[in-house]
Amino acid sequence: EYGRESIISNMGGNSGKLTPKDMMEMQMNMKIQAKMLHKSALKAEKEAIREKAKIRKAMEKGQTENARIFAENAIRQKNQMIAHERLSSRLDAVASKLQTCQASMKVAHNLGVIAEKLGPAMSAMNIAEMASTMDDFEKVLEDQEVFTDTMTSTIDLSLIHISEPTRLLSISYAVFCLKKKKKKLRNTLSC
């Protein structure tokens, strides 16, 4: 469902130049698929929590084999959650890059228009028109810089977002192992 072929077909699948409309459509499709993956990750996380509750119940009843099965299911669900979050973040990052590319194309177009105005003004040595055109030129570049800074910080935040679940997985697995070891020690001491 989220394979390379699906993404390419949703992007138009053509190998020629992309129009701004194609890029916008790709960006929207990527954002939709990223949202779907995020929801799937949340669902997997809830399932992992349910599996952990089953582990506790099985351990309380002394059903270690069932607890092991539930633990494997919890770990699998947690891994699935992490994989979906990573892919979701990657899709968000690519969508952001497409948005940046669209903005760059718009800036390039605007700079072309401004350059066309600047040429005749420079030939005629019209100082007022050259100053006005240069103001437009600087404004376009300033707008691009602000947009680029915003997109860079957004991508950085999405990368931070995907690193957190990985850390939590190792902590929760370690806690599970410690509880299991403690339970075995208690069982050994009571015999």
Side-chain angles (χ1 to χ4, degrees), residues 9 18 21 33 53 60 65 68 71 83 85 87 99 109 113 115 118 171 187:
S9 68
L18 293 173
K21 181 181 175 185
Q33 288 183 353
E60 288 170 359
E65 190 59 35
R68 182 174 288 125
E85 282 292 339
L87 186 55
Q99 187 174 2
H109 173 73
V113 170
L118 189 58
I171 290 171
N187 287 340

Side-chain angles (χ1 to χ4, degrees), residues 34-133:
K35 185 71 114 175
M36 288 170 48
L37 281 168
H38 182 69
K39 286 181 181 180
S40 177
L42 292 176
K43 184 178 175 183
E45 185 177 26
K46 287 178 184 176
E47 188 60 35
I49 291 169
R50 280 191 222 114
E51 291 293 326
K52 287 179 184 178
K54 291 178 185 178
I55 293 169
R56 275 189 231 106
K57 288 179 184 175
M59 293 296 279
E60 288 170 359
K61 293 179 182 177
Q63 301 170 337
T64 56
E65 190 59 35
N66 287 347
R68 182 174 288 125
I69 292 169
F70 295 140
E72 288 172 1
N73 288 341
I75 291 168
R76 183 179 48 79
Q77 290 293 335
K78 199 72 162 179
N79 287 338
Q80 183 177 0
M81 180 210 61
I82 290 168
H84 285 192
E85 282 292 339
R86 279 186 182 148
L87 186 55
S88 173
S89 293
R90 287 177 70 189
L91 282 171
D92 275 337
V94 171
S96 296
K97 288 178 183 178
L98 278 174
Q99 187 174 2
T100 302
C101 186
Q102 283 178 295
S104 296
M105 289 172 61
K106 186 175 181 181
V107 167
H109 173 73
N110 290 343
L111 290 176
V113 170
I114 291 170
E116 287 175 8
K117 287 182 188 176
L118 189 58
M122 288 177 66
S123 296
M125 293 301 282
N126 185 342
I127 303 294
E129 192 175 330
M130 284 188 338
S132 172
T133 305

Side-chain angles (χ1 to χ4, degrees), residues 4-18 22-23 25-26 29:
R4 185 175 191 269
E5 293 80 19
S6 170
I7 292 172
I8 290 172
S9 68
N10 287 338
M11 291 182 188
N14 59 3
S15 60
K17 288 190 174 183
L18 293 173
D22 291 338
M23 291 177 77
E25 187 176 324
M26 279 192 294
N29 286 337

